[in-house]
Amino acid sequence: MKTTLSIIKADVGGFPGHSSVHPALLKKAGEELEAAKKNGKIKDYFVARCGDDIDLIMTHDKGPDNEEVHKLAWDTFLACTEEAKKLKLYGAGQDLLSDTFSGNIKGMGPGSAEIEFEERASEPIICFLMDKTEPGAFNLPIFRMFGDPFSTAGLVIDESMHAGFEFEVYDVMANKTVTLNTPEETYDLLALIGGKSRYVIKKIHARSGKVPKEEAVACVSTDKLSKIAGKYVGKDDPVAVVRCQSGLPAVGEALEPWAFPHLVSGWMRGSHNGPIMPCSMEDAVPSRFDGPPRVVALGFQVANGMLGQPLDFFKDVAFDKTREKSSEIAEYMRRHGPFEPHRLPSEDMEYTTLPAVLKKLEGRFTDL
Ligand code: F6R
Ligand code: MG
Ligand code: MG
């Protein structure tokens, strides 16, 4: 029987402001998923958080986009919203953009990344959870994992990885998708995914045949809140799931790209470039200027549909230097104040609160 791993996430109220998730909400989410596990709706779960986002990590045998599983996540977020309202948490229910559930969480506010697979003899998986950034923030690290031999040694040393990988890329502006193969189309791929606010990696498939080609070996949530709401309602803090080892990047190769705190869009008011900071779930509490943006990595050994307990990878002191570097870059970027390239370029500010400010000045302009 195939196993499905679903991460479904939403911000349904921050504590305080947009920093973290109140323990009462995590408790509520745990109770809802425990009940669902008991009545067989899901096999296992782990309630995680990164910044102000609740990340429901669930295993089941129902496949991606399953109505029952999506409704469970939706109802769980509704129950958490009730708690958030009672506590007057900030932005209670902010990511639930619809009044009624319509069969699939897609297009309703919450984000999702789901993969279905036949469990291998051993199935190491990493769930990456981000806050204060957007799906394109995964482009660079996912490319490094599956396409960069200077990061993933297996691309050179492991014969079974030489066939390369298939990258499914979404154009989130035009609502189109394209598939490119590495290594031969590496330059074309980079031409697209370097433009990370528009082109985002959605899924990766292995070309070697060691893992069945139809099974995604990585998946990123690509849901665009502003596209759904038609206005700024916060960034689309993304999540991703990556399978590891035996013809896929080793666990350490999936973690290696995060030693570089690359610049991502988001941070304060979803309007600034800043360095991503890998950290433990406990430390994933964006504070300085509502940031800097965070990423958490939880490792699981999935067994017979069960998740078991996670290992919180970025707790490792080996990432201390990256965090220091990230703080240094944060300091450097902050000194630019309201100037680009700290502030996002104008075209990326379209879905923020800035256009309302500019509108006010429209009548003041005269011809040169
Ligand atoms: C970024 C984010 C925060 C808020 C900021 C202002 O994704 O959520 O940085 O944009 O705290 O929030 P409001 O406008 O709600 O006061
Ligand atoms: Mg928030
Ligand atoms: Mg968030």
Side-chain angles (χ1 to χ4, degrees):
M1 190 189 292
K2 288 192 174 181
T3 297
T4 310
L5 191 150
S6 302
I7 314 179
I8 304 186
K9 51 89 33 190
D11 171 355
V12 292
F15 162 69
H18 291 281
S19 336
S20 187
V21 180
H22 193 284
L25 272 61
L26 297 174
K27 184 165 171 275
K28 181 49 112 187
E31 287 164 3
E32 298 287 312
L33 296 193
E34 183 62 30
K37 182 177 167 177
K38 286 219 168 82
N39 70 24
K41 260 188 205 169
I42 53 172
K43 285 197 165 165
D44 205 1
Y45 70 91
F46 183 78
V47 176
R49 55 156 283 277
C50 181
D52 56 4
D53 291 281
I54 301 175
D55 302 285
L56 307 177
I57 304 174
M58 300 172 284
T59 46
H60 53 94
D61 56 13
K62 301 184 162 73
D65 292 322
N66 177 267
E67 180 164 352
E68 205 182 350
V69 174
H70 280 224
K71 181 150 188 343
L72 168 65
W74 181 260
D75 290 343
T76 301
F77 291 135
L78 280 181
C80 292
T81 300
E82 285 313 306
E83 292 293 315
K85 282 182 178 159
K86 274 188 229 158
L87 294 163
K88 288 183 72 179
L89 297 180
Y90 197 69
Q94 89 164 37
D95 283 0
L96 307 185
L97 303 178
S98 174
D99 294 333
T100 43
F101 180 73
S102 62
N104 192 303
I105 216 129
K106 277 191 194 136
M108 300 184 69
S112 63
E114 304 185 275
I115 52 171
E116 184 183 37
F117 52 90
E118 200 69 61
E119 276 182 32
R120 296 170 293 166
S122 182
E123 198 58 69
I125 290 184
I126 306 180
C127 296
F128 292 98
L129 321 169
M130 288 184 174
D131 187 41
K132 302 293 180 276
T133 185
E134 59 178 12
F138 274 110
N139 282 5
L140 186 149
I142 296 276
F143 171 75
R144 287 232 168 107
M145 288 175 211
F146 292 95
D148 179 4
F150 278 74
S151 187
T152 289
L155 291 170
V156 179
I157 295 171
D158 181 351
E159 192 273 326
S160 72
M161 291 177 81
H162 275 217
F165 293 90
E166 200 180 272
F167 286 68
E168 195 178 327
V169 176
Y170 282 5
D171 175 342
V172 292
M173 302 291 176
N175 252 330
K176 287 180 185 294
T177 176
V178 62
T179 298
L180 293 168
N181 292 311
T182 58
E184 66 271 28
E185 292 181 306
T186 296
Y187 300 160
D188 294 318
L189 174 67
L190 288 169
L192 293 180
I193 64 173
K196 61 185 173 36
S197 62
R198 173 160 191 166
Y199 299 100
V200 295
I201 297 173
K202 177 65 192 175
K203 278 185 187 155
I204 306 285
H205 292 263
R207 298 168 74 196
S208 68
K210 207 168 171 189
V211 175
K213 180 76 183 298
E214 68 278 6
E215 290 181 4
V217 295
C219 179
V220 181
S221 69
T222 51
D223 315 81
K224 287 294 260 185
L225 279 177
S226 56
K227 278 264 169 197
I228 301 163
K231 62 171 188 200
Y232 180 68
V233 281
K235 273 281 185 222
D236 325 279
D237 307 321
V239 292
V241 49
V242 176
R243 296 169 71 191
C244 300
Q245 306 286 159
S246 299
L248 304 178
V251 162
E253 288 168 339
L255 297 173
E256 173 62 12
W258 307 96
F260 171 62
H262 64 293
L263 291 173
V264 299
S265 307
W267 208 348
M268 175 57 75
R269 297 178 188 273
S271 306
H272 294 83
N273 284 310
I276 192 104
M277 181 182 275
C279 63
S280 68
M281 196 157 71
E282 193 186 338
D283 290 335
V285 181
S287 56
R288 183 177 182 183
F289 203 54
D290 285 358
R294 304 294 160 117
V295 58
V296 165
L298 301 180
F300 295 92
Q301 276 295 156
V302 175
N304 307 313
M306 303 301 282
L307 276 171
Q309 284 304 299
L311 184 78
D312 193 339
F313 277 119
F314 294 146
K315 251 187 188 166
D316 188 357
V317 292
F319 286 93
D320 283 352
K321 279 271 180 286
T322 310
R323 287 185 273 272
E324 261 173 48
K325 176 66 92 189
S326 174
S327 290
E328 249 173 61
I329 298 167
E331 176 61 22
Y332 173 82
M333 295 302 281
R334 279 303 300 130
R335 298 281 73 82
H336 293 80
F339 285 83
E340 296 177 9
H342 181 28
R343 202 193 78 185
L344 299 187
S346 299
E347 58 273 23
D348 290 341
M349 295 294 287
E350 191 188 334
Y351 281 110
T352 69
T353 45
L354 184 71
V357 176
L358 299 181
K359 190 145 188 68
K360 210 174 61 183
L361 298 173
E362 248 170 32
R364 303 269 299 275
F365 281 86
T366 55
D367 292 335
L368 280 176

